[in-house]
Each structure stands twice: as structure tokens, then as C-alpha cells.
Amino acid sequence: MHAGFLNRYRLIVLILVAIAARGLTFGNPVVHADEEFYYVTAHEMWRGALPFIDIWDRKPIGLFLLYLPAARLPLPWGIFAYQAMAAAALVLTALIVARLAARAGWGAGAMAAAIGYILWPDLINGVGGQSPIFYNLPMAAAGLLIVSGENGGGLPHRRGVAAMALVGIALQIKYSAVFEGVYFGLWLMWREWHAHRRLPATLAYGAMLAAIALVPTAMAWGFYAAIGQSDAFLFANFLSIEHRNANPLPEMLGNIGTLVLLLGPLVAMAFAARRQEAVGGSGAARRFLFGWLWAALTGLALFGTWFDHYGLPVLVPGCACAAGFFGARRFRGRVAPAVLGLVAIGGLATVLAHIHGRGNATQFAALAQAVGRGPGCLYVYSGTTMLYAATERCRLSRYIVPAHLNRARENGATGADQAGEVRRILAARPAVVVMRPPFNGERPEIRALVSAAVTRDYRLADRLPMGDETISVYKLRR
């Protein structure tokens, strides 16, 4: 009765779980530095800025286009809007995770898997609008198309074309989807070869699938080429990453340890499903899902830096496969609810810790008020870029992500000399300079440049708490 109720009202249950898991962050503009920047870039696009030219970053333009509708709204409604979009993408992806599990013969654990997909992001910095929260949706839909074909859905070529078109959309949200996309394409090619044993036709089919997946990226490149900015597009999107320096070894080892700790149990349960009995479903679908999980893990391993939120793509195939564990007769009664309960509690503790460390809406409002909307430009040397959107002040550089100009890992990787660009910004005499305390990975010589300038030309207007730090606001002496 209980399982039947959950399945009958699956969408309502998942929405309620998502609200419970994310409610503490709704309206908070400082959930994570990444999504703050995505929002600010979209906000600047409404004012005529173009990514890669007027604002520099490596993310595909599709991600910033995704944030455009929310960034059109004034704060705090724009924050609520993008967070609602992220929550909707999360719930829809969870529904697909349940469908994937059912197609594989793990229907008894499908609902638990879907709930797990909603809860697990809280543990790995996915409680807001990180890019995988959005691109996991088209990737999950693509996977469902393939799995449906394995269950006798027919029209394999049409399904393959549609699946790779969805992969193309995901690639324009973040390029790291390429690892799973390559696996999807190779699986479809293998199924084509298995069905017809014609090598030329299989290779032609594979080439067509690859071309379809690349169409959105080619369209973006074509736009920039048409306005004479092909080099800027190529450098930002594909070449600059090769110039980025490695993080310190202790930091990388810590990141790896965190990912193993937080994703290890899910991956273990997913592969444990191999030993559990499936009811109906397709063996090919199960093999596809396990292969997909390996592809996602491989992408995570190869992508480097290993920040915790880089593990978000693993959650779709990981939770779908873990449904076999959750639904097993000896686990579904007590073990599955206990696991989900522990994940929920751990996620809540993680979210609360991040709010304590990064700040909340009230603290941000006070900081924005201290910066003010008055005349003159703003330079956020370090701190939240959301201040640009909140104060509507102009910026003096296309490098508005503080890390691009002050972190050692970005030295020589952005197409600009860090010290030279900082000197140019300071020479333009921004009306307000915002600085957080020194932090790991910062170049001391860059901070020294800014500290000397604010000592000479600025007055300390305010010092305000933001999470567990105190942010200094300097205003130009008149």
C-alpha cells in the first residue's frame, strides 16, 4: 500500500522532497560562487554584454542563455526564479531516473532511486543551480530514449538521433557532458552493428550521431565567427583550459577524498545491483545503465580538479542502478529508508554548514546596501560577484570572476596578464572596491597591488559579515 501510494503520487512526493531538501536556500543569492556568476553574466547580457568578449569564462553560452529569463527579473525575484528552474529540472530528472530503473527491471526501487537523486546533490554542492542540475535533464532524457529502444520501443534510428540531439543541448550547458555523450554514441553504434553487421553503415551512422550532437556548439561558434570573434570563442571554450595550472596537491587529494566519501556509498549500491534479481525489464537496458555509470565515473576522473559538485553527473546513472539495491527484498523494508534518511540528514547538515560559511540573504542585502547604487564603477577583487547585479554598478573588466585575476591556478590561463589587468582596473579608479580576507590559492602579489591602492586612494567604508568571513568595502576618496 505504501509503495503503491508513493508511485501513484510520484510527482507530488518528489516535489515535496525537493522543497524540503532545498527550501533553506530559496532566495539566498550566495548559495555558490558558480551560479552567482552565471546569474550575473545573464544579467549583463540584458545590458548588451556578450560572453567570451565582454565577460570572460569557459562555460558554454547555452548555460548563460538558460539563466537569461531569471536574470531579467529584479532581485530577489530573479534568485527565486533560477532556483525554481533548478528545482524543476531536478524533479523532472528524478522522474526519468525512476523510469530508467523501471525499464531495467528495478521498479521496486524506482521511487527510492528518484528520491535519492533529489537528496544526494545537497551533499556535493548541488543544492542550487549548478550546471549539471540542468544538463542532467537532457542527458537523462537521452538515456531514456536509448533504454526505451532496448525494451522494444522501435524506431532505433529516430531514437538515436533524438538522443544525440539532447546530448548536443547538454554540451552547450557544460562540455563535461562529452564523456557520457561519447558513450551514448558508441552504444548506439554497437547496437547498429549488432543488428545489421554492416561496417560502412555503422560508421556512417556514428558520424551522423556525432554531427547531430555537435550542431548546437557549431551554431554558437558560427555566431561568433560571423561577428569576427571566432578566436575569442575557441580560446575561451576549448583552448584556455589547457593553460590552467593545477591546484596544490593537498587540495586535490582533499577533493578526491571528499568525492570518494560522499559518492562511494551510492556507487557501491549501484554496482551491488548486479547481484540483485531484476523483475522484467531488459538485460540490455541494465548493461547500458552500468556502462553509463562507468562513463560518468571516467569523465569525473579525467576532468581533474575534482570539486565535489563535479560528481553531480554520476547521480543519474548511479541512482538508476542503485534502484536494484533499494528494491531488493532484503533491503527495501529497512535499509533503503535508512540510507535515504542518512543522506537527507547529511544533506541538511551540509546545506546549513554552507549557509554558515558563505552567508545568507540578510547579510548579502546589508553588503549590497553598503556598496550602494551611487555613481561610479565597482571592482569586486574578491567576494561575491552578485554585487554587480544587486547594485547595478558598472564593471571595469571583462574578468569579473575574481579567481581569474587573483588565483594562482588561473595565472597565464585566461588570455590576460593578471597583474597587468588589475593595474588597469585600479588605474580606472573604481568608486568601490570589495575585498574578502586572504584565502588559499590566492597570489599574494596580486593582493598586495590592491591593498596598496586602497590604502593610498580609498577609505574603509564598512566591514560586514558574510558567512564566516568579514568583507571590507572601500570607497574612493574624493
Side-chain angles (χ1 to χ4, degrees):
M1 177 73 71
H2 181 62
F5 174 85
L6 289 179
N7 286 320
R8 182 175 179 183
Y9 298 101
R10 180 174 290 171
L11 176 59
I12 296 174
V13 171
L14 293 179
I15 290 173
L16 292 175
V17 172
I19 292 172
R22 296 178 158 242
L24 288 175
T25 64
F26 288 163
N28 186 357
V30 288
V31 172
H32 194 282
D34 286 353
E35 57 206 69
E36 294 167 35
F37 171 68
Y38 306 153
Y39 184 93
V40 170
T41 300
H43 177 267
E44 292 296 300
M45 288 173 70
W46 284 112
R47 302 170 76 177
L50 271 179
F52 321 128
I53 300 171
D54 302 306
I55 298 181
W56 194 88
D57 197 56
R58 299 183 179 93
K59 302 296 189 299
I61 192 171
L63 178 57
F64 305 124
L65 294 175
L66 192 62
Y67 270 76
L68 268 181
R72 185 63 171 173
L73 300 173
L75 296 178
W77 302 112
I79 305 301
F80 283 113
Y82 94 75
Q83 291 171 345
M85 290 165 56
L90 185 77
V91 169
L92 290 174
T93 308
L95 287 171
I96 296 176
V97 166
R99 293 280 300 277
L100 288 167
R103 294 278 185 172
W106 298 319
M111 189 62 186
I115 292 173
Y117 179 79
I118 288 178
L119 296 176
W120 229 284
D122 286 13
L123 292 172
I124 52 176
N125 260 315
V127 72
Q130 282 284 3
S131 56
I133 294 296
F134 291 108
Y135 81 67
N136 277 355
L137 177 56
M139 291 303 293
L144 182 60
L145 283 170
I146 295 172
V147 165
S148 298
E150 298 296 347
N151 282 17
L155 302 175
H157 282 189
R158 292 186 186 179
R159 289 180 182 271
V161 167
M164 296 310 288
L166 288 167
V167 169
I169 293 171
L171 286 172
Q172 269 305 296
I173 299 175
K174 194 172 184 182
Y175 291 119
S176 55
V178 67
F179 300 101
E180 298 163 81
V182 167
Y183 170 70
F184 286 7
L186 290 175
W187 177 274
L188 290 166
M189 288 179 65
W190 178 75
R191 298 302 286 169
E192 173 72 10
W193 166 255
H194 187 265
H196 303 293
R197 304 284 179 176
R198 294 197 298 265
L199 183 60
T202 300
L203 293 175
Y205 180 52
M208 179 186 67
L209 294 175
I212 289 168
L214 292 175
V215 165
T217 300
M219 291 173 64
W221 182 18
F223 168 78
Y224 280 89
I227 62 173
Q229 295 291 341
S230 175
D231 289 346
F233 176 87
L234 293 175
F235 178 76
N237 284 261
F238 305 115
L239 304 178
S240 67
I241 191 68
E242 297 298 324
H243 300 282
R244 191 166 73 173
N245 305 301
N247 284 326
L249 182 60
E251 181 180 342
M252 289 195 293
L253 292 176
N255 291 347
I256 293 171
T258 299
L259 278 170
V260 171
L261 176 66
L262 298 178
L263 285 182
L266 175 65
V267 173
M269 289 186 294
F271 284 116
R274 285 181 175 273
R275 300 190 297 272
Q276 309 305 321
E277 181 181 359
V279 179
S282 162
R286 291 189 288 275
R287 288 191 294 273
F288 170 78
L289 290 176
F290 285 123
W292 183 0
L293 178 56
W294 275 115
L297 290 170
T298 300
L300 174 61
L302 294 178
F303 201 70
T305 59
W306 303 294
F307 296 121
D308 50 6
H309 57 275
Y310 286 10
L312 289 168
V314 175
L315 298 185
V316 176
C319 288
C321 292
F325 175 90
F326 289 136
R329 193 181 304 275
R330 56 180 173 155
F331 298 133
R332 75 178 69 157
R334 294 185 178 180
V335 176
V339 168
L340 294 178
L342 287 173
V343 173
I345 293 169
L348 175 62
T350 302
V351 170
L352 287 171
H354 286 159
I355 293 173
H356 173 75
R358 296 169 184 167
N360 55 48
T362 301
Q363 292 175 330
F364 176 80
L367 181 61
Q369 184 175 10
V371 171
R373 292 174 170 265
C377 293
L378 168 66
Y379 174 36
V380 179
Y381 165 75
S382 55
T384 172
T385 56
M386 192 65 82
L387 288 169
Y388 289 106
T391 66
E392 299 285 349
R393 285 185 180 268
C394 55
R395 52 190 170 77
L396 294 170
S397 174
R398 67 188 189 129
Y399 300 99
I400 66 172
V401 174
H404 290 158
L405 295 180
N406 63 26
R407 278 195 179 269
R409 73 164 180 256
E410 295 290 354
N411 188 22
T414 64
D417 173 67
Q418 287 181 323
E421 181 67 7
V422 170
R423 288 192 185 99
R424 189 193 65 77
I425 293 169
L426 294 172
R429 298 176 69 80
V432 184
V433 176
V434 174
M435 298 181 72
R436 58 179 286 215
F439 52 91
N440 291 333
E442 182 184 27
R443 291 183 66 196
E445 59 269 39
I446 303 298
R447 172 170 280 272
L449 278 175
V450 181
S451 296
V454 297
T455 299
R456 182 182 62 247
D457 300 324
Y458 291 78
R459 62 179 176 86
L460 179 61
D462 221 330
R463 297 182 77 247
L464 293 166
M466 179 59 69
D468 58 6
E469 294 184 337
T470 299
I471 307 298
S472 299
V473 178
Y474 297 92
K475 293 194 174 180
L476 189 66
R477 290 194 181 102
R478 300 297 180 183

